[in-house]
Amino acid sequence: MTTRGGALRARTLHSVRGRLSVGFGVLVALLVAATALARSSMDFLSTAIGSTLAEVQADAQLSAQLSSSVVQALEAGHRYVETRDPEALRTFRTHGWSAHRVQRALNSRTGQAPHEIALLADIDNKLSAIEVRYALAHRLVDLGRDADAESAEQRGRDAVTDLLAAIERFGQVKAERVAAA
């Protein structure tokens, strides 16, 4: 009986109808496999793009918060030098701490490259130096040494350009990283 079943299969494969049926079956199987592979690839790409976009959005939001906190702190610091308003001094300190908190949040994000960490350290260093200059200006104003206070404040303002440039460089590095991904 096995020879008769084998002979029937052999005859079916030798006929045009049999070959077409087997070929069509193989095509359907390949189509199903290709569909599954394409679906899997699309799901993987969608997940990768979604997570990359979420990281970029979080980094951009933190960078914007950092810039905003720095600008608000420096504006309040300048206002204190001009007016000696205690509220301006509190605002200066509050936004200064906020800027450092945001900088730490950026620094603690996972997946940072060494040059990104170096840029963040540079940003923190520049921010701290500016805060020191403004704090000196504030103490000089409190002592009645207005000309010296204005000079110290001006040195702080001059360093702001470098700080904002460093923040912008950090954003560019992140954008390049996303483009490469």
Side-chain angles (χ1 to χ4, degrees):
M1 189 97 147
T2 58
T3 54
R4 189 173 175 199
L8 182 61
R9 264 187 258 141
R11 236 183 8 213
T12 304
L13 287 177
H14 290 295
S15 73
V16 172
R17 184 178 193 171
R19 287 181 183 172
L20 286 175
S21 296
V22 170
F24 183 71
V26 169
L27 283 177
V28 168
L30 288 174
L31 182 62
V32 168
T35 301
L37 181 63
R39 174 77 177 172
S40 166
S41 296
M42 289 297 203
D43 288 346
F44 174 76
L45 284 175
S46 176
T47 302
I49 289 170
S51 66
T52 302
L53 182 59
E55 286 178 28
V56 169
Q57 287 174 332
D59 286 339
Q61 183 179 21
L62 288 171
S63 293
Q65 286 176 357
L66 179 61
S67 295
S68 174
S69 293
V70 166
V71 169
Q72 289 176 345
L74 298 180
E75 177 57 35
H78 174 70
R79 197 170 53 246
Y80 182 77
V81 170
E82 287 185 343
T83 65
R84 293 184 184 101
D85 178 17
E87 182 60 32
L89 184 60
R90 278 192 293 279
T91 302
F92 171 77
R93 289 178 180 160
T94 300
H95 286 293
W97 281 113
S98 176
H100 284 289
R101 194 170 32 258
V102 171
Q103 187 273 334
R104 280 192 306 274
L106 278 168
N107 207 23
S108 67
R109 293 188 48 80
T110 58
Q112 300 278 10
H115 63 281
E116 292 170 340
I117 294 170
L119 272 173
L120 287 170
D122 184 47
I123 289 169
D124 190 46
N125 187 36
K126 289 177 191 303
L127 176 60
S128 296
I130 291 169
E131 286 178 319
V132 167
R133 289 179 181 134
Y134 269 86
L136 174 62
H138 295 163
R139 296 302 68 86
L140 290 170
V141 162
D142 292 342
L143 293 172
R145 296 172 52 189
D146 293 343
D148 292 334
E150 288 176 15
S151 175
E153 180 192 10
Q154 186 58 47
R155 286 191 305 273
R157 277 192 193 167
D158 292 343
V160 170
T161 304
D162 290 340
L163 173 63
L164 294 177
I167 293 171
E168 185 176 333
R169 266 194 321 275
F170 178 75
Q172 289 172 345
V173 165
K174 285 297 193 176
E176 289 169 4
R177 185 172 176 200
V178 169

